[in-house]
């Protein structure tokens, strides 16, 4: 599968794709001077490991066959040893890089490829692109602050893509695809860069060819960490695999990462009620108690495993144990009353953020992450918290910060009784800065903070990650937000422009990630697609859009979390929440993940039936039909039905050959066909 030639190239040859890559490259600094080890040949036996050396570093590349089920590929790992007598500051370690003719063979070439681009954290966008599209950083600072790694900027140029942690290429002609994904994320943040020129993109318009691959490289970021003489550090493992089923490759990668990093996957996704999307920061104790009372009334239809107080209980960001006047009984008493109803109590914190005016920031200025100039690093500006000042960040490589985080989590979870913790804005702990421990990467600093929270909260606590980079979270969180915030509005053209169609607050963008990141579910954690709003008060979501939300969350088997005033929700809307639970529980496949920016077809396989969802993203009423034919149908092993029942309308629809006519769908509507097994 893999060979390293004396001419200095790695050959990864598969049935579907083959890759001819240059050797590893490591950039570093010694005594402040930038340097690179970029060998033109490696030494070693034919099947490795292979080494190269300069005056400061020795690098060793090792390859082994991938062990992941259903994934036939190679895993690469690079070790870096400091052989000189001076400490080295490591920047980037590129495990493989290629480009130009012969660099990558897949189908006819880049003009027929789709690329899966994954964003940095929970809120960042993920979707398929074609190489005539451009994908740059959002222009609005508020969106950039919360969705981007500032160390991995993206230019807005057609055909140039930067994906975090994993990418996959699919041949749209159907021959298959290639996945390049890191099967570790607790040690390094990582990126895969892919650039190609195609007709209609950066190439001249009259160029009819299959396009040119310009660059493909996979890199671990060491963030300038110091490695001492004699010490060795290693990259995360990189999985490179090809095969006929590109979505299956992404699933295989997720399974491999989950196994390698001991993912915590709950037997069933947690479900409950969250205060945020109705009460927002104005939430009061009375609101939560009213929700609790309503929960009993709807329990027969809508199980609520937990009741969560989101943002709004604390006195200041950072002072998590100081409750504001809106919760007069105190948070421990409230948790006790929630638990007395048989439900878990949940609470929101942003563990690594501190408000500049908080007690913790004033008492411990030395706890703050600082930049090279000694100024506190700031993560974002949130007008709800502090109109005048940006939020600051804790340095999680400090033992006193770790002890503080542990103590906060211990108090919330064990003393107060909040077994469910939503950990928000966690990206902050991985921002660039000068850390107390110069030997730890940004990923390791974040991981140290997460581990402290887990230790404090205990093994049986349910941790829900949010605003959290994906790789470092695997193995700590039980559930993970995988998209931006929903809103009681779909998000039209103006939001799309303001948010550069990426993060922000938009049900449309949130639901896109619910589909495009569905394959992470059950491998890395339980996916949290954000709350399901079915209400008729305080909302501009149409009935069609509510169905869309219900179907996306249900079919992908995500957490079902209500955020309505349940005492005001009419019975026919409660029915939709019940249906959301009923649709859950299957093994889901987003069939057309690579077909365009917005997947339309989601198939969920359950014990007794197959659910076939057809999502209509368009802004106009449209006649829609479904064709059950195709490779995904063949894999389901179902008899050809002559009629099917639609889940939302209850209508029985005739099957004409393999086609089902769904009629005219409203904008942003969905239909779900129930196919008995
Ligand atoms: C609470 C909310 C909810 C929500 C989270 C997160 O950039 N911003 O100012 C910004 C504000 C809120 C936000 C994300 C970004 O939402 O996703 O579920 O918990 O915090 O404040």
């Amino acid at each position: 599968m893999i060979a390293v030639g004396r001419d200095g190239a790695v050959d990864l040859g598969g049935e579907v794709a083959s890759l001819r890559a240059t050797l590893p490259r490591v950039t570093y600094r010694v005594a402040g001077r930038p340097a690179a080890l970029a060998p033109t040949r490696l030494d070693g036996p034919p099947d490795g490991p292979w080494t190269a050396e300069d005056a400061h570093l020795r690098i060793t590349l090792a390859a082994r066959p991938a062990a992941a089920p259903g994934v036939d590929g190679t895993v690469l790992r690079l070790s870096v040893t400091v052989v000189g007598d001076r400490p080295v500051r490591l920047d980037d370690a590129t495990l493989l890089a290629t480009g130009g003719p012969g660099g990558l063979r897949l189908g006819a070439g880049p003009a027929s490829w789709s690329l899966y681009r994954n964003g940095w954290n929970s809120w960042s966008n993920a979707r398929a692109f074609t190489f005539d599209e451009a994908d740059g950083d959002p222009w609005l600072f508020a969106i950039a602050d919360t969705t981007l790694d500032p160390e991995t900027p993206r230019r807005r140029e057609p055909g140039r893509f930067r994906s975090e942690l994993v990418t996959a290429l699919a041949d749209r002609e159907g021959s298959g695809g290639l996945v390049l994904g890191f099967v570790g994320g607790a040690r390094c943040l990582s990126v895969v860069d892919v650039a190609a020129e195609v007709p209609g993109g950066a190439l001249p318009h009259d160029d009819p060819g299959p396009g040119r691959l310009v660059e493909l490289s996979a890199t671990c970021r060491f963030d300038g960490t110091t490695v001492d003489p004699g010490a060795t550090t290693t990259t995360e493992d990189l999985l490179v695999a090809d095969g006929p089923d590109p979505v299956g490759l992404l699933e295989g990668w997720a399974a491999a990462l989950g196994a390698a990093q001991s993912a915590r996957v709950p037997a069933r996704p947690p479900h409950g009620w969250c205060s945020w999307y109705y009460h927002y920061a104005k939430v009061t104790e009375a609101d939560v108690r009213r929700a609790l009372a309503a929960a009993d009334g709807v329990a027969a239809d809508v199980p609520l495993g937990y009741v969560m107080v989101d943002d709004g209980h604390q006195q200041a960001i950072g002072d998590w144990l100081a409750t504001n006047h809106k919760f007069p009984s105190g948070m421990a008493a409230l948790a006790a009353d929630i638990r007395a109803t048989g439900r878990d109590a949940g609470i929101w914190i942003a563990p690594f953020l501190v408000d500049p005016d908080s007690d913790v920031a004033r008492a411990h200025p030395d706890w703050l992450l600082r930049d090279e100039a000694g100024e506190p690093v700031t993560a974002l500006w949130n007008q709800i918290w502090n109109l005048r000042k940006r939020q600051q960040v804790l340095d999680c490589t400090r033992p006193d910060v770790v002890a503080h985080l542990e103590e906060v989590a211990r108090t919330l979870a064990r003393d107060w009784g909040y077994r469910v913790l939503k950990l928000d804005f966690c990206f902050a702990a991985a921002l660039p800065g000068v850390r107390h421990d110069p030997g730890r990467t940004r990923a390791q600093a974040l991981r140290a903070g997460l581990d402290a929270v887990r230790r404090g909260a205990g093994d049986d606590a349910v941790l829900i990650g949010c605003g959290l980079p994906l790789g470092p979270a695997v193995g700590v969180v039980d559930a993970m937000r995988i998209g931006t915030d929903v809103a009681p509005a779909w998000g039209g053209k103006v939001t799309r422009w303001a948010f550069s169609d990426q993060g922000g607050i938009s049900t449309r963008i949130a639901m896109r990630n619910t589909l495009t990141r569905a394959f992470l579910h059950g491998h890395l954690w339980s996916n949290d697609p954000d709350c399901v709003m079915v209400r008729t008060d305080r909302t501009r979501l149409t009935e069609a859009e509510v169905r869309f939300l219900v179907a996306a969350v249900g079919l992908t088997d995500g957490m079902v979390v209500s955020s309505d005033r349940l005492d005001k929700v009419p019975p026919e809307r409660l029915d939709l929440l019940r249906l959301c639970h009923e649709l859950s529980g299957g093994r889901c496949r987003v069939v057309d993940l690579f077909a365009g920016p917005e997947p339309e077809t989601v198939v969920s396989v359950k014990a007794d039936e197959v659910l076939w969802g057809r999502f209509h993203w368009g802004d106009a009423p449209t006649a829609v039909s479904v064709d059950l034919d195709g490779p995904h149908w063949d894999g389901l092993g179902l008899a050809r039905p002559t009629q099917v029942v639609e889940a939302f309308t209850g209508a029985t629809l005739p099957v004409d050959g393999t086609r089902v006519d769904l009629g005219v769908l409203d904008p942003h509507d969905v239909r779900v066909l129930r196919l008995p097994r």
Side-chain angles (χ1 to χ4, degrees), residues 123 146 276-277 310-311 348 382 422 424-425 466 481 485:
W123 297 320
T146 49
W276 184 250
Y277 298 93
D310 205 289
D311 184 4
W348 171 98
N382 186 340
K422 177 171 171 185
D424 207 351
F425 295 91
C466 191
R481 269 282 290 284
D485 288 23

Side-chain angles (χ1 to χ4, degrees), residues 122-123 141-143 145-147 274 276-277 280-281 308 310-312 314 317 348-350 379-385 422-425 427 466-467 481 483-486 504-505 528 530-531:
S122 303
W123 297 320
F141 76 92
I143 307 301
D145 276 351
T146 49
T147 61
C274 163
W276 184 250
Y277 298 93
Y280 295 95
M308 172 172 291
D310 205 289
D311 184 4
Q314 72 283 355
I317 295 298
W348 171 98
I349 58 171
L380 81 159
W381 172 76
N382 186 340
Q383 55 179 27
I384 300 171
W385 299 336
K422 177 171 171 185
L423 310 176
D424 207 351
F425 295 91
F427 72 88
C466 191
R481 269 282 290 284
T484 199
D485 288 23
V486 293
I505 293 169
D528 173 6
D530 209 8
C531 294

Side-chain angles (χ1 to χ4, degrees), residues 1-371:
M1 179 74 200
I2 180 166
V4 166
R6 289 284 158 189
D7 60 343
V10 183
D11 277 311
L12 293 161
E15 298 279 310
V16 172
S18 65
L19 206 149
R20 188 169 173 76
T22 63
L23 297 173
R25 175 188 164 88
V26 175
T27 57
Y28 62 96
R29 283 164 284 163
V30 173
R33 267 198 323 281
L37 172 51
T40 54
R41 57 166 285 175
L42 294 182
D43 296 313
D47 50 358
W50 307 281
T51 63
E53 197 168 315
D54 67 10
H56 302 285
L57 298 181
R58 178 172 63 245
I59 56 173
T60 305
L61 181 70
R64 58 183 158 83
V71 174
D72 178 20
T74 300
V75 175
L76 297 176
R77 174 186 293 186
L78 191 67
S79 315
V80 182
T81 304
V82 176
V83 291
D85 51 11
R86 303 168 105 182
V88 163
R89 294 191 62 188
L90 274 188
D91 290 318
D92 287 344
T94 297
L95 283 87
L96 64 80
T98 190
L104 170 62
R105 181 184 58 77
L106 171 67
S112 61
W113 295 346
S114 281
L115 171 129
Y116 181 80
R117 182 257 164 178
N118 178 50
W120 189 39
N121 69 40
S122 303
W123 297 320
S124 320
N125 74 324
R127 69 171 178 91
F129 289 85
T130 52
F131 283 82
D132 53 356
E133 290 184 84
D135 178 37
D137 288 346
W139 61 268
L140 188 65
F141 76 92
I143 307 301
D145 276 351
T146 49
T147 61
L148 298 179
D149 179 354
E151 292 288 304
T152 59
R154 296 171 297 145
R155 290 174 290 169
R156 180 164 287 281
E157 289 171 26
R160 274 161 217 281
F161 299 99
R162 165 159 273 189
S163 191
E164 315 264 346
L165 188 65
V166 64
T167 195
L169 288 160
D171 172 23
R172 289 196 307 285
E173 306 291 319
S175 70
L178 175 77
V179 67
L180 291 112
F182 286 94
V183 283
R187 203 157 44 222
C188 298
L189 298 170
S190 56
V191 289
V192 183
D193 289 300
V194 187
E197 296 181 339
V198 299
L203 280 189
H205 276 282
D206 54 355
D207 189 326
R212 284 192 291 263
L213 178 70
V214 176
E215 182 201 356
L216 185 154
S217 63
T219 300
C220 280
R221 318 299 305 270
F222 281 93
D223 314 312
T225 44
T226 302
V227 186
D228 289 324
T232 296
T233 187
T234 57
T235 64
E236 303 286 6
D237 288 350
L238 174 68
L239 170 69
V240 186
D242 68 334
D245 171 15
V247 179
L249 290 173
L250 281 170
E251 291 165 351
W253 162 77
L257 172 55
Q261 210 163 289
S262 306
R264 294 175 62 104
V265 180
R268 288 296 301 144
H271 48 74
W273 181 86
C274 163
S275 60
W276 184 250
Y277 298 93
Y278 195 94
H279 302 289
Y280 295 95
K282 293 198 172 77
V283 64
T284 65
E285 179 180 330
D287 293 331
V288 179
R289 290 188 181 278
R290 198 190 312 102
L292 197 59
D296 283 334
V298 301
D301 287 329
V302 185
L304 299 173
Y306 67 79
V307 167
M308 172 172 291
V309 187
D310 205 289
D311 184 4
H313 57 88
Q314 72 283 355
Q315 256 177 42
I317 295 298
D319 296 338
W320 306 113
L321 303 181
T323 306
N324 65 40
H325 65 277
K326 293 186 287 129
F327 291 80
S329 307
M331 298 310 282
L334 183 56
D337 291 342
I338 295 172
R339 293 170 62 193
T341 70
R343 298 182 177 84
D344 275 325
I347 196 165
W348 171 98
I349 58 171
F352 312 129
L353 288 184
V354 292
D355 191 281
D357 299 329
S358 65
D359 291 344
V360 69
R362 287 177 192 279
H364 304 284
D366 48 332
W367 286 8
L368 301 177
L369 181 65
R370 291 176 187 271
D371 62 18

